[in-house]
Amino acid sequence: TQLLEQSPQFLSIQEGENLTVYCNSSSVFSSLQWYRQEPGEGPVLLVTVVTGGEVKKLKRLTFQFGDARKDSSLHITAAQPGDTGLYLCAGPTGGAQKLVFGQGTRLTINP
Amino acid sequence: DVKVTQSSRYLVKRTGEKVFLECVQDMDHENMFWYRQDPGLGLRLIYFSYDVKMKEKGDIPEGYSVSREKKERFSLILESASTNQTSMYLCASIDHTYEQYFGPGTRLTVT
C-alpha cells in the first residue's frame, strides 16, 4: 500500500513569514498533486508535478517533486492570511484513477 | 464552470436511521468517488465507481453502500447510521489528467 506522510500536521505563523510543507513516501509515484481546502469547502487542485526534480511556481507558492519521485514540498514565500487552509498532497495508486491522500497540513497565517 | 454538487451541507440523523447522500457532477466524468474526512486521518476512500452500475470498495467500505444508476449521479448510503459515522463526506469525480473535482462536502452528525 502506498502511503503519503505530510509534515508538519499543524503550522501557525505570522503574515510575511516563509514556510515549507513536506509530503514524503517510501514509494515511487508517477506524479503528485497538491490541493488546498478552505473551511466548509472541498479540496481544490493547486498543481500536479510529474517529472522528478520538477519545480512549479504559482505566484508565491513553489512546488517541487523529488528527484526520486518519492517526495514533494510546498514552499510559500511571504505568507498571507488568504493562504490559510488545509493543504493535502495526493498521488495515483492502483487503477481506476484512484488517489491516495496525505493526512494534510493545517496552515494558519496570523495577521 | 465545472461543478460537483452534494445534496446537503449539513445533516443530523439518529442512530439506526438509513441515510442517503447524493452527489451530482456535470462534467461527464466516468469515475466518481466517495471519501470521508476526519481530523488527522486525511481523506479515506469509501467506494468508487468507474461506470454506471459499476462500483468497487475502497479502503473503508464497512457500513456503507453506493448506487450509480446514471453517469452523473453517485449516491452513498448508510444502511443503519452509527455514531462512528459522524464525519465530513466528500464526493469527487476525476478527469483524464487525474485531477479530482470535489463537492463542498456534507457534514453528517449521527446522534
Side-chain angles (χ1 to χ4, degrees):
Chain A
T1 304
Q2 293 176 297
L3 294 176
L4 288 168
E5 294 283 338
Q6 288 187 240
S7 61
Q9 286 199 42
F10 300 93
L11 185 57
S12 179
I13 64 171
Q14 294 300 120
E15 182 176 0
E17 294 183 0
N18 302 332
L19 66 106
T20 302
V21 173
Y22 300 93
C23 174
N24 295 299
S25 176
S26 58
S27 304
V28 174
F29 282 87
S30 57
S31 63
L32 282 178
Q33 300 176 332
W34 286 91
Y35 291 79
R36 180 168 69 202
Q37 184 178 18
E38 299 187 12
E41 300 296 331
V44 175
L45 180 69
L46 295 174
V47 76
T48 301
V49 286
V50 179
T51 306
E54 182 178 6
V55 176
K56 281 192 174 179
K57 292 193 175 185
L58 271 179
K59 297 183 182 178
R60 295 175 294 99
L61 279 60
T62 301
F63 302 86
Q64 185 160 7
F65 200 11
D67 291 340
R69 290 186 288 124
K70 292 184 178 182
D71 56 86
S72 181
S73 64
L74 158 59
H75 182 79
I76 301 179
T77 303
Q80 298 179 1
D83 296 326
T84 291
L86 179 68
Y87 289 80
L88 295 157
C89 66
T93 182
Q97 297 180 306
K98 288 191 294 181
L99 293 176
V100 60
F101 285 82
Q103 75 272 47
T105 294
R106 188 164 296 282
L107 176 63
T108 303
I109 309 301
N110 302 300
Chain B
D1 192 19
V2 298
K3 190 175 287 186
V4 177
T5 56
Q6 294 183 228
S7 51
S8 303
R9 296 295 293 265
Y10 300 94
L11 271 181
V12 179
K13 297 291 182 180
R14 294 206 180 271
T15 303
E17 280 192 78
K18 191 169 186 175
V19 182
F20 294 87
L21 303 182
E22 304 281 339
C23 174
V24 177
Q25 52 99 359
D26 65 359
M27 295 163 282
D28 201 38
H29 289 161
E30 301 285 342
N31 294 1
M32 296 184 72
F33 304 81
W34 275 107
Y35 297 92
R36 64 177 283 176
Q37 183 177 30
D38 301 288
L41 297 178
L43 274 67
R44 293 181 291 167
L45 182 63
I46 305 171
Y47 266 97
F48 66 98
S49 170
Y50 50 91
D51 202 349
V52 174
K53 297 190 186 293
M54 306 303 285
K55 60 188 179 186
E56 280 196 24
K57 294 179 181 179
D59 300 317
I60 51 165
E62 295 78 19
Y64 303 95
S65 62
V66 290
S67 171
R68 189 149 179 219
E69 297 296 320
K70 294 185 177 181
K71 191 175 185 180
E72 67 270 19
R73 188 179 298 270
F74 190 34
S75 302
L76 179 69
I77 304 155
L78 285 66
E79 297 290 343
S80 178
S82 63
T83 54
N84 63 13
Q85 292 178 310
T86 291
S87 186
M88 169 71 92
Y89 289 88
L90 289 163
C91 173
S93 67
I94 195 166
D95 70 12
H96 66 284
T97 67
Y98 275 73
E99 176 174 355
Q100 290 211 352
Y101 295 86
F102 286 87
T106 296
R107 186 164 294 282
L108 173 67
T109 302
V110 183
T111 62

